[in-house]
Amino acid sequence: MEELSTIRSAIAMLVIIAMHLLSGRIERTAGNRLGTLLSVAGGIAVGYVFVGLLPKIGTFTAKIVATEPAAPEFLQYRLYLLGLAGLLLYFAADRFRAGRAGSGAALVIHSIAFAGYNALVGYLLAHLNTSRSGFVPHVLLAAVMAIHLFAMDHQLRTWYGAAFDRWLRWLFSASVAGGWLAGLLLPVSAGALAAWSAVLAGGILINVFNEELPRERDGRVAAFLVGVAVVVAASAVFRTLSKSLG
């Protein structure tokens, strides 16, 4: 059973890597529908945070409160602080780039920040079977993260042009694979998984707010809302089926 889960997570990891390597071709194929696709991607990412990641954080926080009643309340809610830390980290990276647009320093900072982002995705993907069984979680996470990272790739390609296609996309692909391998080889507790999920949630939110949310000049509100609705509906169906089959 564990081997089957590893195979599923490997396939999901390869889907995300393929998206990185083919994102430029996907953009060209999308043509004038690219703006709509990016808005849908933003909605999907935000929806996933609220129906996928935050409930996990809330569940584990409840366990912390129950098992550590004497701990300061501030620390009992530490997972939300880690989510805030993830948000602030990528907010700082974006502000650094905005103040040094086109500079080598901005490229280096973004390379490091988003290599870590992709490694975290791969790491959590390798441990997906610890919270949910079956192939559906792998399918959903692969689809959600591939679409979200496609939007991220588009923005980075806009900022850094040829550098993205020349080596950034390869760096991010290697980071996903490296994070996945680390997830397979390194034992991890449920608390650590919850902590990294919180960091990812904060990172997703700020990156969506910065680059993917519809704006007056180029956003497509309807497409964004469709993305949110798709994830919420998929989550509702999945949770209902999980209970009926469990």
Side-chain angles (χ1 to χ4, degrees):
M1 191 70 177
E2 185 175 347
E3 290 182 358
L4 183 57
S5 179
T6 300
I7 292 172
R8 290 167 176 163
S9 68
I11 294 173
M13 179 262 297
L14 291 173
V15 168
I16 294 173
I17 288 176
M19 184 286 307
H20 278 309
L21 299 180
L22 299 175
S23 60
R25 184 174 299 179
I26 296 172
E27 283 189 24
R28 292 189 292 273
T29 301
N32 58 11
R33 296 185 179 88
L34 179 60
T36 298
L37 179 59
L38 294 174
S39 291
V40 170
I44 287 174
V46 168
Y48 173 66
V49 168
F50 281 94
V51 302
L53 293 178
L54 290 184
K56 293 179 182 178
I57 295 170
T59 298
F60 200 83
T61 296
K63 292 180 181 179
I64 293 174
V65 173
T67 57
E68 302 178 17
E73 185 174 354
F74 185 75
L75 293 180
Q76 289 178 334
Y77 292 91
R78 55 185 174 268
L79 293 181
Y80 292 99
L81 296 177
L82 288 171
L84 177 61
L87 185 150
L88 293 176
L89 172 65
Y90 286 93
F91 174 77
D94 183 75
R95 294 303 91 192
F96 183 89
R97 177 208 59 82
R100 296 166 179 80
S103 71
L107 176 57
V108 170
I109 290 296
H110 265 115
S111 299
I112 295 171
F114 287 102
Y117 195 88
N118 280 276
L120 181 55
V121 170
Y123 184 82
L124 294 176
L125 188 60
H127 290 284
L128 194 59
N129 66 311
T130 60
S131 58
R132 294 282 184 176
S133 60
F135 69 92
V136 176
H138 295 93
V139 172
L140 290 178
L141 186 60
V144 167
M145 295 314 302
I147 293 170
H148 168 59
L149 291 173
F150 167 76
M152 301 280 304
D153 284 357
H154 167 75
Q155 190 59 67
L156 290 166
R157 182 180 285 106
T158 300
W159 288 337
Y160 300 114
F164 181 90
D165 289 314
R166 200 164 49 241
W167 60 273
L168 272 180
R169 61 180 178 143
W170 296 98
L171 172 63
F172 296 159
S173 298
S175 298
V176 174
W180 179 78
L181 284 173
L184 291 182
L185 299 175
L186 299 177
V188 66
S189 66
L193 281 176
W196 287 119
S197 296
V199 173
L200 180 64
I204 289 175
L205 285 178
I206 191 59
N207 286 313
V208 170
F209 293 158
N210 278 338
E211 309 303 339
E212 295 176 11
L213 279 174
R215 292 174 289 249
E216 184 177 353
R217 68 175 184 274
D218 59 4
R220 291 159 173 79
V221 175
F224 179 82
L225 295 177
V226 166
V228 174
V230 166
V231 172
V232 172
S235 176
V237 170
F238 172 58
R239 292 174 189 277
T240 300
L241 288 177
S242 295
K243 289 182 179 180
S244 63
L245 295 176

